[in-house]
């Protein structure tokens, strides 16, 4: 896949955000409406996407590679979580600003961008390994992500702790999807088609919600915020660069080199803005980061993909 093909895939998401921005400016999507859309994505369409993403064939010979990729994903997330504390301290961020910056550094846009781009780059095998690498995402988003985004919030939804925090649509969907994967159970055609329709609504709905939230601020203010700009650069360039150096030293190659780096280089996950809205954090700042990192990724993702070969 060449630079322009990858560029066009990222541009589509950027244009969806623009549509949401216009809809927000015209009051077709209100602040209350954006929150309802976010809830719809979190509780219905995103779980459908998760379950369908795990509907791929499993074989014994791939078990070792599968476990290795899952292990790498856990290691990468542990690393980015650690780096998020370091970079947040360097940025001198506090309160909800710190909560959003840290969460944004950790969680990449896998479901909305990672799958189509890795499929375009590496075909069916790309989807297979991306699905495995993405397995810890939802568990961490609903635990670490919720903790970070709610720690400065008074939201009643943020008060769920312990086991109750794990019983959410995201982790339940992961459990269902992984069980179906391990047991090689394929969904009945009617159920599969239903989930397909729901899953396909996730990206446009999430991007529209992000865009409508952005409509409540001046876009030029985004580029005047130095902390926001630095966080965006850290997310799409600095962290992937650190990974490239580290993985090269470790002499990783093939999909175990390419998939983790490509996925980590994705813009901030739309889930961050959706969760920020749900848990009454700074959803505006989260939406600004998604907008800015998506804009930057129009250049950074194609360049990183070309570098990896």
């Amino acid at each position: 896949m060449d630079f322009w093909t990858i560029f066009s895939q990222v541009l589509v998401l950027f244009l969806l955000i623009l549509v949401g921005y216009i809809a927000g400016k015209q009051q077709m999507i209100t602040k209350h409406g954006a929150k309802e859309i976010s809830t719809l994505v979190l509780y219905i369409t995103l779980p459908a996407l998760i379950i369908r993403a795990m509907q791929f064939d499993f074989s014994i010979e791939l078990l070792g590679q599968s476990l290795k990729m899952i292990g790498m994903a856990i290691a990468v997330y542990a690393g980015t979580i650690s780096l998020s504390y370091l970079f947040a301290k360097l940025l001198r961020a506090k309160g909800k600003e710190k909560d959003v910056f840290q969460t944004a550094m950790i969680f990449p846009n896998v479901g909305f961008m990672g799958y189509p781009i890795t499929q375009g780059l590496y075909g069916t095998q790309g989807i297979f390994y991306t699905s495995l690498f993405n397995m810890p995402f939802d568990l961490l988003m609903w635990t670490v992500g919720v903790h970070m985004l709610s720690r400065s919030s008074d939201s009643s939804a943020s008060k769920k702790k312990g086991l109750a925090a794990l019983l959410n649509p995201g982790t339940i969907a992961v459990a269902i999807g992984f069980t179906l994967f391990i047991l090689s159970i394929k969904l009945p055609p009617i159920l599969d088609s239903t989930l397909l329709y729901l899953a396909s609504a996730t990206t446009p709905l999430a991007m529209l919600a992000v865009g409508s939230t952005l409509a409540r601020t001046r876009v030029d203010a985004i580029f005047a915020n130095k902390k926001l700009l630095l966080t965006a650069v850290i997310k799409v360039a600095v962290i992937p660069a650190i990974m490239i150096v580290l993985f090269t030293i470790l002499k990783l190659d093939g999909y175990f080199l390419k998939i983790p780096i490509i996925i980590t280089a994705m813009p901030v996950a739309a889930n961050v803005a959706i969760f920020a809205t749900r848990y009454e954090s700074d959803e505006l700042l989260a939406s600004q980061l998604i907008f800015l990192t998506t804009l930057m990724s129009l250049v950074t993702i194609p360049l990183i993909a070309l570098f990896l070969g």
Side-chain angles (χ1 to χ4, degrees), residues 70-128:
I70 294 170
M72 286 187 65
I74 294 171
V76 167
Y77 276 113
T80 53
I81 289 170
S82 300
L83 286 173
S84 76
Y85 280 95
L86 172 63
F87 286 126
K89 188 173 183 178
L90 292 175
L91 290 169
R92 297 180 179 178
K94 296 181 180 179
K96 292 183 179 181
E97 181 186 59
K98 177 184 177 181
D99 299 343
V100 170
F101 283 166
Q102 276 196 261
T103 311
M105 290 178 200
I106 296 166
F107 296 102
N109 194 333
V110 185
F112 308 153
M113 285 183 62
Y115 285 118
I117 288 179
T118 54
Q119 182 180 33
L121 287 171
Y122 311 118
T124 304
Q125 285 289 88
I127 289 290
F128 175 78

Side-chain angles (χ1 to χ4, degrees), residues 258-291:
K258 296 175 182 179
I259 295 297
I261 292 173
I262 287 289
I263 294 303
T264 306
M266 294 292 154
V268 175
N271 307 53
V272 175
I274 291 171
F275 275 62
T277 302
R278 179 75 178 86
Y279 294 99
E280 298 179 11
S281 186
D282 193 338
E283 73 272 16
L284 185 58
L285 181 62
S287 296
Q288 291 174 334
L289 272 169
I290 292 167
F291 172 87

Side-chain angles (χ1 to χ4, degrees), residues 56-280:
F56 50 86
D57 294 329
F58 177 81
S59 62
I60 296 298
E61 56 268 24
L62 289 176
L63 179 60
Q65 291 185 353
S66 301
L67 294 176
K68 180 179 178 181
M69 184 61 78
I70 294 170
M72 286 187 65
I74 294 171
V76 167
Y77 276 113
T80 53
I81 289 170
S82 300
L83 286 173
S84 76
Y85 280 95
L86 172 63
F87 286 126
K89 188 173 183 178
L90 292 175
L91 290 169
R92 297 180 179 178
K94 296 181 180 179
K96 292 183 179 181
E97 181 186 59
K98 177 184 177 181
D99 299 343
V100 170
F101 283 166
Q102 276 196 261
T103 311
M105 290 178 200
I106 296 166
F107 296 102
N109 194 333
V110 185
F112 308 153
M113 285 183 62
Y115 285 118
I117 288 179
T118 54
Q119 182 180 33
L121 287 171
Y122 311 118
T124 304
Q125 285 289 88
I127 289 290
F128 175 78
Y129 286 112
T130 300
S131 298
L132 293 171
F133 188 84
N134 194 42
M135 284 183 64
F137 179 96
D138 296 287
L139 179 61
L140 291 172
M141 186 75 240
W142 282 93
T143 52
V144 175
V146 167
H147 166 71
M148 287 185 172
L149 289 173
S150 65
R151 61 190 174 192
S152 302
S153 170
D154 294 325
S155 168
S156 59
S158 69
K159 305 307 179 184
K160 290 196 305 180
K161 302 294 181 181
L163 182 60
L166 298 177
L167 298 178
N168 58 72
T171 52
I172 291 171
V174 170
I176 293 172
F178 188 65
T179 300
L180 295 175
F181 160 65
I182 290 293
L183 299 177
S184 295
I185 297 174
K186 296 298 180 182
L187 294 169
I190 294 176
L191 182 56
D192 184 65
S193 295
T194 302
L195 290 181
L196 174 61
Y197 281 118
L198 290 171
S200 63
T202 302
T203 297
L205 285 176
M207 295 297 107
L208 288 173
V210 169
S212 66
T213 301
L214 278 172
R216 301 201 301 270
T217 188
R218 291 170 49 190
V219 174
D220 59 348
I222 296 174
F223 299 96
N225 187 329
K226 292 182 180 180
K227 288 184 180 179
L228 193 150
L229 287 169
L230 283 172
T231 302
V233 171
I234 289 168
K235 174 69 190 77
V236 301
V238 175
I239 293 178
I242 291 172
M243 287 182 60
I244 288 173
V245 172
L246 180 61
F247 282 21
T248 301
I249 292 173
L250 294 174
K251 296 182 179 180
L252 294 172
D253 57 11
Y255 294 118
F256 297 103
L257 170 70
K258 296 175 182 179
I259 295 297
I261 292 173
I262 287 289
I263 294 303
T264 306
M266 294 292 154
V268 175
N271 307 53
V272 175
I274 291 171
F275 275 62
T277 302
R278 179 75 178 86
Y279 294 99
E280 298 179 11

